[in-house]
Amino acid sequence: MELTLKSARRSVDEIPAPLVVLGVWGGELSEEGQKLDGKYRKALTRFIQELHFKGDFGETLLVPLASRREEAGPGFALLFGLGKKRGASLETVRKAGAKLVQEISRLGFKEAVAETFLADKFGKKEASYALAEGALLGGYEWNKYKTSNSGSRRGEKLRLWLARSSGPAVDRAEVVAEAVNYARDLVNEPPNVLTPVELARRAGEMAQELGLGVEIWDEDQIQKAGMGAFYGVARGSANPPRFIQLTYKPQNPAERVIAMVGKGLTFDTGGYSLKPSEGQITMKCDMAGAAAVLGAMRAIARLKPPVEVRAYVAAAENMISGAAYRVSDVLTSLSGKTIEVLNTDAEGRLTLIDAITHADRQGADAIVELSTLTGACVVALGEKIAGLFANDSRWARQVQEAAERAGEKVWPLPMEEEYLESLKSSTADLKNTHGRSRYAGAITAALFLGEFTDKPLVHLDIAGPAYTEKSHALGPVGGTGFGVRTLIELVEK
Ligand code: BES
Ligand code: ZN
Ligand code: ZN
């Protein structure tokens, strides 16, 4: 839907709209709600009691309001269940924002006003931010390839007023949510459309629009630069690779340079270590790390934090052909280290190490890297939580705290040095997987990356949360935009 948020200082009953959304906590109308209810002879309270409306989270009740006032009041109230107030968090507000726009749109309203839930508990700014962000994420739809006769309700407009909200907080939520939804779009694009060349074109277009520095290398430049690991993966595809670099420079020269690296496999078939068909179903999401990094750059260009940020994406497709790399091939990475390929499906790490080496050499003070790297991480932490690996506890803490503030779930896993043994090769310096053992797959992947920089490095394995085959509290099936909010928080603090 096309959602427009309007921040207002006024209270719900001072904003004319056909629908007013009021919170219900533990079966009781919110304070704002009660004030309004007074004007309707407690009609709302009576509905709640007579219908035994408990107001579990997300439960709603639509009540017609016969306006007895002189001026035209709202025709309806939507009572929105928020569960118990005790223990409610900003995440409750964010989820409520998402759910309520979906509900309002389902009911067919084009305009509504909602109260800013929990402003009393968390302050107007935080509560407004969470509600607005939730609404904008929850209003996301992916229907680009649905034709009008497939019955989809596309592009419906909704104007939502947030009563007693903070304007700057709503503005910020708009920038952040737009960046997340941009990343979702990139992930959701089919791989025949979003090739490495197209991903680079979009990054370039965005850089132009937002005044970011941009440099894009084609396959010849990638080869000439010596990115043999990245190129080794890319060469099997008829769609050539691109190396994408974006730079944000603050007005005053920055003390710190943060590098963000995103895995950019626009499709991962597994190569000759071919994935079974079922494993390929979601593999257009294998550029979700790149999408997160590009999405974050979008918001960073607008929010203008005082640090320099550089984004790097090695974009390629992992395919099969006469030119594709094989098991047992030896690749020479940009760092000079040689790698024996034991599994062509462990391609992400090969593309990432060249991007990491390059970021390091270009003067990054700290590197944060996001990738849909291993199925093993999904086995360990499930679909909601990203694995966090770090070679530096301070940098790890900063990323972890940023994720917490952003409302994205990450959990630390160890980079256990003893497991490095399993990546030693008898032929080359390293091999890209253990080969036979499937133990600690997420950890060995992280250790492999860690061999290519001594700078503070955080690796987020987002294979679980990057993509969802079920709709969730903050959005539909498909790319989730996971990581964008964390990266923005990280850079801003
Ligand atoms: N892109 C996949 C990882 C992945 C799996 C992402 C599921 C999202 C959902 C990655 O390139 C891969 O195939 N990894 C292998 C590594 C193995 C060969 C060591 C894996 O996880 O099986
Ligand atoms: Zn793979
Ligand atoms: Zn992959």
Side-chain angles (χ1 to χ4, degrees), residues 263 265 268 270 273 275 279 282-283 285-286 318 343-349 371-378 432-435 437-438 441 444-445 461-464 466-467:
K263 175 172 173 181
L265 267 290
D268 180 11
S273 310
K275 285 183 187 297
T282 61
M283 278 308 123
C285 87
D286 217 16
N318 191 17
N343 191 317
T344 62
D345 198 12
E347 84 299 335
R349 62 195 77 181
S371 46
T372 45
L373 202 60
T374 67
C377 198
V378 192
N432 75 333
T433 72
H434 175 279
S437 160
R438 289 168 61 224
T444 49
D461 193 331
I462 60 170
Y467 194 87

Side-chain angles (χ1 to χ4, degrees), residues 45 154 163 230 240 286 309 369 411:
T45 307
R154 67 179 292 181
F230 170 30
D286 217 16
V309 188
E369 174 276 326
W411 200 255

